[in-house]
Amino acid sequence: MSKPNKTRYRLAELRQAHAEKNGGDVIPFEFAGETFTIAAPGFWDDPVKVALKDGDDISAARALMGERYTDFTEKGGRADDVMLVIGAYAEDQGVTVGE
């Protein structure tokens, strides 16, 4: 019989450490004179992950931006622009999208 694991992980502390290691829990970007934000990888809600797995960039962008997505698209933003931001962030982190 294996020895029980005595370590208790605290999710709030793990999330904080991940954010500190990776520059925060959001990715800010500017467009049309405004600052928008999306959650950084590691902080994505499940609908974002499902949409990306299904190849549905529009649903992923909507899930990442929430109610700001409408404002973003009315100013000329596109789901592909959100994917460009994620790609640039991934490159800055030294990974490729999907890692």
Side-chain angles (χ1 to χ4, degrees):
M1 180 179 275
S2 66
K3 192 163 92 175
N5 184 354
K6 299 281 186 183
T7 302
R8 178 170 290 175
Y9 296 100
R10 290 176 178 79
L11 189 52
E13 292 172 7
L14 293 172
R15 287 178 176 171
Q16 181 179 356
H18 182 76
E20 288 172 2
K21 177 183 170 192
N22 294 294
D25 59 352
V26 296
I27 305 169
F29 65 97
E30 292 182 17
F31 179 71
E34 287 190 50
T35 299
F36 293 90
T37 60
I38 59 173
F43 297 94
W44 290 348
D45 292 331
D46 290 347
V48 175
K49 297 183 90 105
V50 169
L52 290 172
K53 182 178 181 248
D54 291 344
D56 185 351
D57 292 350
I58 295 171
S59 292
R62 282 184 193 280
L64 282 166
M65 295 189 75
E67 50 193 57
R68 294 288 322 266
Y69 186 73
T70 300
D71 184 39
F72 176 69
T73 57
E74 286 175 353
K75 291 178 173 20
R78 307 166 302 142
D80 280 345
D81 297 324
V82 175
M83 296 304 117
L84 287 171
V85 170
I86 293 169
Y89 175 84
E91 187 175 307
D92 286 348
Q93 296 296 313
V95 297
T96 59
V97 174
E99 279 190 83

XYZ file of all heavy atoms in Angstrom:
757
model
N 0.842 -1.172 0.000
C 0.000 0.000 0.000
C 0.891 1.240 0.000
O 1.879 1.301 0.690
C -0.902 -0.031 1.237
C -1.823 1.155 1.312
S -2.902 1.098 2.731
C -4.193 0.090 2.076
N 0.515 2.201 -0.790
C 1.340 3.402 -0.890
C 1.061 4.348 0.277
O -0.002 4.323 0.891
C 1.094 4.106 -2.217
O -0.219 4.588 -2.262
N 2.044 5.142 0.566
C 1.948 6.122 1.647
C 1.058 7.285 1.196
O 1.224 7.789 0.088
C 3.370 6.605 1.949
C 3.491 7.397 3.216
C 4.923 7.481 3.657
C 5.586 8.708 3.096
N 6.935 8.914 3.572
N 0.114 7.735 2.014
C -0.735 8.859 1.603
C 0.087 10.136 1.425
O 1.025 10.389 2.161
C -1.729 9.021 2.745
C -1.381 8.022 3.783
C -0.199 7.225 3.318
N -0.286 10.898 0.436
C 0.384 12.164 0.156
C -0.077 13.196 1.179
O -1.245 13.518 1.270
C 0.047 12.623 -1.268
C 0.782 13.877 -1.656
O 1.461 14.495 -0.853
N 0.641 14.254 -2.907
N 0.859 13.717 1.947
C 0.528 14.700 2.985
C 0.482 16.130 2.446
O 0.078 17.030 3.148
C 1.553 14.623 4.128
C 1.593 13.288 4.809
C 0.449 13.167 5.767
C 0.606 11.864 6.535
N -0.454 11.598 7.428
N 0.919 16.334 1.218
C 0.932 17.673 0.646
C -0.483 18.092 0.292
O -1.215 17.357 -0.351
C 1.817 17.716 -0.618
O 3.122 17.309 -0.266
C 1.844 19.100 -1.210
N -0.835 19.267 0.719
C -2.134 19.833 0.349
C -1.860 21.075 -0.485
O -1.251 22.025 -0.015
C -2.937 20.205 1.580
C -4.277 20.853 1.183
C -5.190 21.018 2.321
N -5.641 19.691 2.708
C -6.395 19.438 3.751
N -6.784 20.418 4.527
N -6.777 18.226 4.040
N -2.305 21.052 -1.726
C -2.099 22.185 -2.621
C -3.235 23.186 -2.445
O -4.389 22.809 -2.329
C -2.031 21.711 -4.074
C -0.851 20.817 -4.327
C -0.994 19.444 -4.377
C 0.419 21.364 -4.495
C 0.102 18.626 -4.594
C 1.518 20.548 -4.715
C 1.352 19.179 -4.759
O 2.440 18.385 -4.967
N -2.867 24.436 -2.424
C -3.849 25.505 -2.326
C -3.943 26.164 -3.700
O -2.984 26.778 -4.162
C -3.439 26.496 -1.249
C -3.564 25.899 0.134
C -3.062 26.821 1.225
N -3.251 26.235 2.533
C -2.465 25.291 3.073
N -1.434 24.818 2.391
N -2.709 24.816 4.275
N -5.096 25.989 -4.305
C -5.283 26.454 -5.676
C -5.027 27.949 -5.816
O -4.398 28.377 -6.788
C -6.687 26.105 -6.172
C -6.968 26.339 -7.641
C -5.920 25.676 -8.527
C -8.345 25.839 -8.008
N -5.450 28.752 -4.874
C -5.217 30.201 -4.957
C -3.722 30.500 -5.020
O -3.283 31.362 -5.793
C -5.853 30.916 -3.771
N -2.919 29.779 -4.241
C -1.474 29.986 -4.252
C -0.853 29.508 -5.557
O 0.060 30.147 -6.086
C -0.827 29.271 -3.065
C -1.195 29.884 -1.732
C -0.711 29.064 -0.544
O 0.039 28.080 -0.737
O -1.093 29.413 0.584
N -1.332 28.389 -6.071
C -0.826 27.885 -7.352
C -1.125 28.863 -8.485
O -0.271 29.133 -9.333
C -1.431 26.515 -7.672
C -1.023 25.367 -6.760
C -1.847 24.118 -7.072
C 0.465 25.079 -6.901
N -2.342 29.402 -8.485
C -2.717 30.375 -9.520
C -1.861 31.633 -9.415
O -1.404 32.170 -10.423
C -4.193 30.733 -9.405
C -5.114 29.642 -9.871
C -6.556 30.033 -9.696
N -7.446 29.016 -10.235
C -8.754 29.024 -10.065
N -9.328 30.005 -9.387
N -9.491 28.073 -10.583
N -1.645 32.112 -8.182
C -0.833 33.312 -7.987
C 0.601 33.075 -8.463
O 1.185 33.923 -9.139
C -0.843 33.733 -6.518
C -0.039 34.992 -6.269
C -0.058 35.423 -4.809
O -0.729 34.826 -3.979
N 0.678 36.467 -4.505
N 1.165 31.934 -8.130
C 2.531 31.614 -8.559
C 2.617 31.525 -10.080
O 3.572 32.011 -10.690
C 2.995 30.308 -7.920
N 1.603 30.927 -10.700
C 1.589 30.819 -12.167
C 1.518 32.209 -12.806
O 2.227 32.491 -13.773
C 0.401 29.953 -12.616
C 0.328 29.747 -14.087
N 1.162 28.871 -14.754
C -0.448 30.311 -15.036
C 0.881 28.905 -16.052
N -0.098 29.769 -16.241
N 0.671 33.065 -12.247
C 0.549 34.432 -12.778
C 1.860 35.186 -12.631
O 2.305 35.863 -13.564
C -0.584 35.179 -12.075
N 2.494 35.071 -11.478
C 3.760 35.771 -11.245
C 4.853 35.266 -12.182
O 5.635 36.049 -12.719
C 4.189 35.600 -9.789
C 3.330 36.394 -8.828
C 3.604 36.085 -7.363
O 4.506 35.270 -7.064
O 2.901 36.650 -6.511
N 4.884 33.973 -12.411
C 5.896 33.370 -13.292
C 5.710 33.800 -14.745
O 6.673 33.958 -15.482
C 5.817 31.847 -13.187
C 6.760 31.106 -14.096
C 6.562 29.607 -13.975
C 7.340 28.892 -15.054
N 6.965 27.485 -15.163
N 4.455 34.016 -15.139
C 4.158 34.279 -16.550
C 3.718 35.700 -16.848
O 3.176 35.972 -17.914
C 3.098 33.284 -17.036
C 3.630 31.881 -17.041
O 4.532 31.551 -17.805
N 3.117 31.042 -16.157
N 3.922 36.610 -15.917
C 3.634 38.012 -16.200
C 2.212 38.446 -15.957
O 1.789 39.491 -16.461
N 1.433 37.682 -15.241
C 0.075 38.081 -14.895
C -0.956 37.091 -15.382
O -0.646 36.132 -16.093
N -2.200 37.346 -14.995
C -3.271 36.444 -15.385
C -4.105 36.977 -16.550
O -5.040 36.325 -16.990
C -4.172 36.116 -14.190
C -4.820 37.340 -13.563
O -4.473 38.474 -13.940
O -5.685 37.157 -12.684
N -3.748 38.168 -17.049
C -4.427 38.718 -18.221
C -3.396 39.216 -19.234
O -2.253 39.498 -18.885
C -5.391 39.883 -17.872
C -6.522 39.405 -16.985
C -4.666 41.036 -17.250
N -3.838 39.300 -20.465
C -3.023 39.851 -21.547
C -3.708 41.129 -22.011
O -4.790 41.069 -22.609
C -2.925 38.877 -22.741
C -2.403 37.512 -22.296
C -2.068 39.473 -23.853
C -2.545 36.433 -23.366
N -3.127 42.289 -21.730
C -3.720 43.535 -22.223
C -3.258 43.807 -23.660
O -2.128 43.476 -24.028
C -3.171 44.585 -21.259
C -1.882 44.023 -20.775
C -2.005 42.521 -20.836
N -4.144 44.369 -24.459
C -3.755 44.793 -25.802
C -4.559 46.020 -26.189
O -5.653 46.245 -25.684
C -3.908 43.660 -26.827
C -5.330 43.202 -27.067
C -6.059 43.683 -28.145
C -5.926 42.274 -26.225
C -7.355 43.255 -28.379
C -7.216 41.835 -26.448
C -7.943 42.319 -27.528
N -3.971 46.816 -27.068
C -4.621 48.048 -27.507
C -5.185 47.874 -28.902
O -4.573 47.234 -29.769
C -3.615 49.193 -27.504
C -3.164 49.595 -26.119
C -2.203 50.773 -26.139
O -2.124 51.487 -27.151
O -1.529 50.956 -25.107
N -6.350 48.465 -29.096
C -6.990 48.458 -30.403
C -7.963 49.615 -30.459
O -8.729 49.831 -29.519
C -7.722 47.126 -30.648
C -8.433 47.071 -31.971
C -7.710 46.973 -33.153
C -9.805 47.155 -32.040
C -8.358 46.946 -34.375
C -10.461 47.120 -33.257
C -9.735 47.019 -34.428
N -7.935 50.348 -31.544
C -8.856 51.468 -31.787
C -8.873 52.451 -30.615
O -9.921 52.935 -30.208
C -10.259 50.950 -32.091
N -7.682 52.706 -30.062
C -7.558 53.676 -28.985
C -8.019 53.195 -27.623
O -8.113 53.984 -26.685
N -8.330 51.924 -27.496
C -8.789 51.372 -26.227
C -7.895 50.215 -25.802
O -7.265 49.565 -26.633
C -10.218 50.852 -26.341
C -11.261 51.930 -26.424
C -12.657 51.353 -26.285
O -12.902 50.586 -25.334
O -13.481 51.668 -27.149
N -7.879 49.959 -24.510
C -7.180 48.796 -23.993
C -8.198 47.708 -23.699
O -9.193 47.944 -23.002
C -6.397 49.136 -22.705
O -5.430 50.143 -23.025
C -5.688 47.915 -22.154
N -7.962 46.553 -24.258
C -8.781 45.377 -24.025
C -7.916 44.360 -23.284
O -6.695 44.448 -23.314
C -9.253 44.768 -25.354
C -10.209 45.647 -26.120
C -9.728 46.571 -27.038
C -11.570 45.534 -25.925
C -10.598 47.377 -27.758
C -12.452 46.343 -26.636
C -11.962 47.262 -27.553
N -8.548 43.405 -22.643
C -7.800 42.337 -21.992
C -8.467 40.995 -22.274
O -9.686 40.923 -22.483
C -7.725 42.512 -20.455
O -9.038 42.518 -19.916
C -6.995 43.785 -20.077
N -7.638 39.969 -22.291
C -8.125 38.596 -22.333
C -7.371 37.832 -21.255
O -6.275 38.217 -20.851
C -7.938 37.930 -23.716
C -6.464 37.914 -24.136
C -8.792 38.615 -24.776
C -6.181 37.132 -25.414
N -7.945 36.749 -20.803
C -7.268 35.913 -19.821
C -6.035 35.283 -20.461
O -6.040 34.916 -21.647
C -8.211 34.818 -19.329
N -4.984 35.179 -19.680
C -3.764 34.524 -20.143
C -3.960 33.007 -20.096
O -4.758 32.503 -19.301
C -2.590 34.929 -19.262
N -3.246 32.273 -20.959
C -3.313 30.814 -20.866
C -3.009 30.368 -19.433
O -2.175 30.940 -18.754
C -2.221 30.354 -21.838
C -2.106 31.482 -22.825
C -2.342 32.733 -22.010
N -3.705 29.350 -19.010
C -3.597 28.904 -17.629
C -4.720 29.476 -16.782
O -4.969 29.016 -15.678
N -5.398 30.486 -17.325
C -6.514 31.119 -16.632
C -7.769 31.110 -17.508
O -8.724 31.830 -17.240
C -6.146 32.554 -16.220
C -5.015 32.575 -15.239
C -3.711 32.727 -15.685
C -5.247 32.398 -13.889
C -2.653 32.718 -14.793
C -4.194 32.384 -12.981
C -2.899 32.548 -13.436
N -7.742 30.325 -18.563
C -8.884 30.252 -19.464
C -9.998 29.426 -18.857
O -9.770 28.374 -18.260
C -8.472 29.643 -20.793
C -7.589 30.510 -21.617
C -7.309 31.829 -21.428
C -6.848 30.121 -22.763
N -6.450 32.285 -22.402
C -6.150 31.249 -23.231
C -6.709 28.929 -23.454
C -5.330 31.225 -24.359
C -5.893 28.897 -24.567
C -5.218 30.034 -25.015
N -11.232 29.907 -19.041
C -12.402 29.129 -18.646
C -12.558 27.954 -19.611
O -12.063 27.994 -20.749
C -13.659 30.001 -18.689
C -13.648 31.087 -17.619
O -13.041 30.875 -16.555
O -14.257 32.153 -17.864
N -13.262 26.942 -19.169
C -13.440 25.738 -19.990
C -14.037 26.021 -21.374
O -13.601 25.416 -22.359
C -14.277 24.705 -19.249
C -13.522 24.094 -18.070
O -12.293 24.282 -17.967
O -14.173 23.416 -17.244
N -15.026 26.934 -21.517
C -15.566 27.184 -22.857
C -14.505 27.665 -23.863
O -14.601 27.368 -25.054
C -16.631 28.256 -22.633
C -17.075 28.038 -21.220
C -15.818 27.626 -20.485
N -13.486 28.372 -23.400
C -12.405 28.805 -24.290
C -11.659 27.579 -24.804
O -11.411 27.432 -26.002
C -11.420 29.757 -23.570
C -10.239 30.102 -24.468
C -12.126 31.008 -23.100
N -11.313 26.683 -23.901
C -10.553 25.494 -24.275
C -11.346 24.598 -25.222
O -10.802 24.063 -26.188
C -10.132 24.740 -23.023
C -9.191 25.589 -22.153
C -8.709 24.843 -20.970
C -7.491 24.152 -21.264
N -6.214 24.369 -20.949
N -12.646 24.452 -24.957
C -13.491 23.632 -25.823
C -13.561 24.252 -27.213
O -13.417 23.557 -28.227
C -14.904 23.459 -25.213
C -15.870 22.840 -26.223
C -14.836 22.616 -23.952
N -13.758 25.562 -27.286
C -13.855 26.240 -28.580
C -12.559 26.096 -29.371
O -12.581 25.826 -30.576
C -14.205 27.714 -28.390
N -11.429 26.262 -28.708
C -10.141 26.121 -29.403
C -9.918 24.691 -29.874
O -9.438 24.465 -30.985
C -8.995 26.586 -28.511
C -8.928 28.088 -28.263
C -7.877 28.414 -27.213
C -8.648 28.843 -29.561
N -10.287 23.729 -29.044
C -10.151 22.321 -29.432
C -10.999 22.018 -30.666
O -10.596 21.268 -31.544
C -10.562 21.417 -28.274
C -10.400 19.949 -28.559
C -10.790 19.103 -27.359
C -10.588 17.651 -27.666
N -11.785 16.890 -27.752
N -12.180 22.652 -30.712
C -13.086 22.454 -31.843
C -12.707 23.302 -33.050
O -13.372 23.233 -34.084
C -14.523 22.780 -31.431
C -15.094 21.766 -30.456
O -14.519 20.670 -30.315
O -16.122 22.083 -29.814
N -11.668 24.149 -32.923
C -11.253 25.010 -34.029
C -12.177 26.191 -34.248
O -12.209 26.766 -35.337
N -12.919 26.585 -33.227
C -13.899 27.670 -33.340
C -13.315 28.941 -32.720
O -13.562 29.264 -31.553
C -15.188 27.252 -32.642
C -16.319 28.252 -32.810
O -16.076 29.366 -33.335
O -17.450 27.922 -32.401
N -12.532 29.674 -33.516
C -11.865 30.880 -33.028
C -12.853 31.957 -32.582
O -12.583 32.700 -31.642
C -10.945 31.464 -34.102
C -9.743 30.591 -34.394
O -9.500 29.623 -33.640
O -9.035 30.885 -35.372
N -13.983 32.051 -33.251
C -14.964 33.085 -32.905
C -15.530 32.824 -31.508
O -15.579 33.729 -30.672
C -16.078 33.187 -33.961
C -15.483 33.671 -35.290
C -17.206 34.112 -33.491
C -16.430 33.608 -36.463
N -15.925 31.601 -31.238
C -16.436 31.278 -29.900
C -15.353 31.431 -28.845
O -15.634 31.871 -27.718
C -17.003 29.853 -29.866
O -18.176 29.780 -30.644
N -14.126 31.095 -29.185
C -13.011 31.256 -28.243
C -12.805 32.730 -27.930
O -12.662 33.113 -26.759
C -11.735 30.645 -28.809
N -12.799 33.572 -28.956
C -12.612 35.011 -28.747
C -13.760 35.591 -27.919
O -13.543 36.395 -27.015
C -12.497 35.733 -30.089
N -14.982 35.168 -28.222
C -16.141 35.628 -27.435
C -16.001 35.213 -25.970
O -16.266 35.997 -25.061
C -17.440 35.032 -27.985
C -17.963 35.687 -29.208
C -19.319 35.047 -29.577
N -19.736 35.409 -30.896
C -20.306 36.564 -31.217
N -20.518 37.473 -30.295
N -20.652 36.815 -32.462
N -15.583 33.969 -25.738
C -15.432 33.477 -24.368
C -14.305 34.217 -23.641
O -14.419 34.506 -22.449
C -15.170 31.974 -24.374
N -13.237 34.540 -24.343
C -12.121 35.260 -23.727
C -12.467 36.703 -23.386
O -12.049 37.221 -22.361
C -10.897 35.240 -24.645
C -10.099 33.944 -24.672
C -9.148 33.933 -25.859
C -9.334 33.772 -23.368
N -13.221 37.343 -24.263
C -13.483 38.773 -24.099
C -14.805 39.080 -23.406
O -15.018 40.211 -22.967
C -13.439 39.471 -25.449
C -12.064 39.426 -26.082
S -11.944 40.466 -27.549
C -11.856 42.078 -26.788
N -15.685 38.109 -23.323
C -16.976 38.336 -22.683
C -17.761 39.436 -23.372
O -17.770 39.542 -24.593
N -18.363 40.294 -22.576
C -19.225 41.339 -23.139
C -18.449 42.397 -23.913
O -19.029 43.144 -24.689
C -20.086 41.974 -22.060
C -19.322 42.403 -20.838
C -20.228 42.733 -19.671
O -21.012 41.866 -19.260
O -20.124 43.875 -19.177
N -17.143 42.452 -23.759
C -16.334 43.420 -24.521
C -16.162 42.995 -25.981
O -15.746 43.794 -26.816
C -14.935 43.573 -23.907
C -14.844 44.182 -22.542
C -15.112 45.673 -22.410
N -14.674 46.598 -23.399
C -13.538 47.291 -23.402
N -12.670 47.138 -22.439
N -13.270 48.148 -24.353
N -16.459 41.725 -26.302
C -16.270 41.252 -27.675
C -17.122 42.049 -28.657
O -16.656 42.407 -29.742
C -16.575 39.751 -27.793
C -16.265 39.198 -29.159
C -14.940 39.008 -29.568
C -17.273 38.887 -30.058
C -14.648 38.510 -30.825
C -16.979 38.381 -31.315
C -15.667 38.199 -31.694
O -15.365 37.710 -32.956
N -18.350 42.345 -28.297
C -19.225 43.120 -29.190
C -18.633 44.488 -29.461
O -18.564 44.934 -30.615
C -20.637 43.236 -28.591
O -21.170 41.918 -28.429
C -21.556 44.052 -29.485
N -18.186 45.169 -28.428
C -17.556 46.483 -28.582
C -16.315 46.368 -29.469
O -16.097 47.198 -30.361
C -17.183 47.034 -27.199
C -16.608 48.436 -27.240
O -17.097 49.267 -28.041
O -15.672 48.710 -26.461
N -15.530 45.346 -29.237
C -14.309 45.102 -30.010
C -14.629 44.920 -31.499
O -13.997 45.542 -32.354
C -13.608 43.861 -29.433
C -12.387 43.411 -30.159
C -11.217 44.161 -30.134
C -12.377 42.200 -30.831
C -10.066 43.722 -30.786
C -11.237 41.749 -31.479
C -10.083 42.523 -31.457
N -15.619 44.098 -31.807
C -15.951 43.848 -33.218
C -16.627 45.055 -33.865
O -16.436 45.295 -35.060
C -16.825 42.594 -33.386
O -18.015 42.724 -32.611
C -16.066 41.343 -32.972
N -17.378 45.818 -33.091
C -18.006 47.029 -33.639
C -16.955 48.060 -34.028
O -17.190 48.898 -34.896
C -19.000 47.617 -32.648
C -20.283 46.815 -32.562
C -21.233 47.309 -31.484
O -20.865 48.198 -30.683
O -22.363 46.777 -31.435
N -15.808 48.006 -33.407
C -14.691 48.911 -33.736
C -13.816 48.343 -34.855
O -12.828 48.945 -35.227
C -13.855 49.169 -32.488
C -14.573 50.009 -31.454
C -13.721 50.187 -30.221
C -14.281 51.133 -29.197
N -15.652 51.448 -29.196
N -14.179 47.170 -35.374
C -13.434 46.565 -36.476
C -12.566 45.391 -36.080
O -11.865 44.822 -36.927
N -12.571 45.003 -34.808
C -11.783 43.857 -34.365
C -12.390 42.549 -34.844
O -13.582 42.474 -35.157
N -11.556 41.525 -34.924
C -11.991 40.212 -35.393
C -11.456 39.128 -34.465
O -10.481 39.339 -33.752
C -11.447 39.944 -36.803
C -11.756 41.020 -37.817
C -10.917 40.888 -39.084
N -9.492 40.929 -38.734
C -8.557 40.189 -39.331
N -8.861 39.373 -40.305
N -7.299 40.273 -38.960
N -12.064 37.975 -34.525
C -11.567 36.839 -33.750
C -10.119 36.544 -34.125
O -9.301 36.213 -33.259
C -12.452 35.613 -33.977
N -9.783 36.681 -35.402
C -8.395 36.448 -35.830
C -7.427 37.399 -35.130
O -6.281 37.031 -34.858
C -8.254 36.605 -37.343
C -8.714 35.377 -38.110
O -8.875 34.311 -37.492
O -8.908 35.488 -39.333
N -7.874 38.617 -34.831
C -7.015 39.556 -34.107
C -6.716 39.040 -32.696
O -5.597 39.167 -32.203
C -7.673 40.933 -34.023
C -7.873 41.574 -35.387
O -7.006 41.390 -36.269
O -8.899 42.256 -35.566
N -7.719 38.465 -32.052
C -7.519 37.892 -30.726
C -6.518 36.739 -30.814
O -5.629 36.603 -29.968
C -8.861 37.434 -30.106
C -8.642 36.735 -28.773
C -9.806 38.619 -29.957
N -6.632 35.935 -31.862
C -5.680 34.826 -32.049
C -4.268 35.364 -32.294
O -3.277 34.761 -31.853
C -6.116 33.923 -33.201
C -7.454 33.204 -32.973
S -7.524 32.220 -31.472
C -8.820 33.061 -30.577
N -4.153 36.510 -32.974
C -2.841 37.137 -33.171
C -2.235 37.561 -31.832
O -1.029 37.393 -31.604
C -2.954 38.357 -34.092
C -3.185 38.086 -35.565
C -3.490 39.394 -36.306
C -1.979 37.401 -36.184
N -3.070 38.099 -30.948
C -2.594 38.496 -29.622
C -2.105 37.264 -28.858
O -1.022 37.282 -28.252
C -3.705 39.229 -28.823
C -3.303 39.431 -27.375
C -4.036 40.563 -29.480
N -2.867 36.185 -28.906
C -2.454 34.951 -28.220
C -1.148 34.429 -28.798
O -0.248 34.010 -28.062
C -3.566 33.883 -28.314
C -4.779 34.334 -27.501
C -3.055 32.526 -27.836
C -6.014 33.492 -27.727
N -1.010 34.471 -30.125
C 0.229 34.036 -30.767
C 1.419 34.877 -30.364
O 2.506 34.350 -30.090
N 1.233 36.200 -30.303
C 2.328 37.087 -29.905
C 2.710 36.840 -28.447
O 3.896 36.819 -28.095
C 1.917 38.550 -30.108
N 1.715 36.633 -27.590
C 1.973 36.337 -26.183
C 2.756 35.025 -26.059
O 3.734 34.945 -25.317
C 0.653 36.249 -25.414
C 0.815 35.837 -23.973
C 1.117 36.773 -22.997
C 0.661 34.511 -23.586
C 1.272 36.397 -21.662
C 0.808 34.128 -22.261
C 1.114 35.072 -21.310
O 1.270 34.694 -20.002
N 2.324 34.004 -26.789
C 3.007 32.713 -26.742
C 4.461 32.856 -27.181
O 5.371 32.303 -26.548
C 2.279 31.692 -27.626
N 4.681 33.615 -28.242
C 6.050 33.840 -28.730
C 6.890 34.554 -27.668
O 8.039 34.174 -27.429
C 6.007 34.664 -30.019
C 7.355 34.797 -30.692
C 7.250 35.510 -32.025
O 6.431 35.087 -32.869
O 7.991 36.496 -32.214
N 6.311 35.544 -27.013
C 7.023 36.252 -25.942
C 7.367 35.328 -24.779
O 8.360 35.517 -24.093
C 6.207 37.435 -25.413
C 6.190 38.608 -26.366
O 6.975 38.634 -27.335
O 5.359 39.516 -26.157
N 6.510 34.310 -24.557
C 6.746 33.349 -23.482
C 7.703 32.229 -23.902
O 8.070 31.392 -23.096
C 5.423 32.736 -23.019
C 4.453 33.719 -22.409
C 4.991 34.324 -21.121
O 5.477 33.615 -20.259
N 4.917 35.625 -21.002
N 8.059 32.207 -25.199
C 8.971 31.190 -25.694
C 8.314 29.853 -25.983
O 8.974 28.814 -25.981
N 7.005 29.876 -26.233
C 6.290 28.652 -26.579
C 5.522 28.878 -27.871
O 5.407 30.010 -28.361
C 5.297 28.229 -25.456
C 6.035 27.911 -24.182
C 4.228 29.262 -25.216
N 4.973 27.824 -28.416
C 4.107 27.957 -29.572
C 2.685 27.702 -29.129
O 2.443 27.001 -28.138
C 4.485 26.968 -30.696
O 4.393 25.634 -30.175
C 5.891 27.229 -31.207
N 1.737 28.267 -29.835
C 0.341 28.080 -29.495
C 0.047 26.588 -29.555
O 0.424 25.891 -30.496
C -0.587 28.855 -30.461
C -2.047 28.542 -30.176
C -0.318 30.348 -30.345
N -0.595 26.076 -28.524
C -0.898 24.651 -28.449
C -0.015 23.914 -27.457
O -0.292 22.791 -27.087
N 1.064 24.557 -27.012
C 1.920 23.898 -26.017
C 1.299 24.005 -24.656
O 0.621 24.897 -24.308
C 3.313 24.545 -25.977
C 4.214 24.036 -27.078
C 5.652 24.499 -26.879
O 6.369 23.842 -26.115
O 6.025 25.489 -27.495
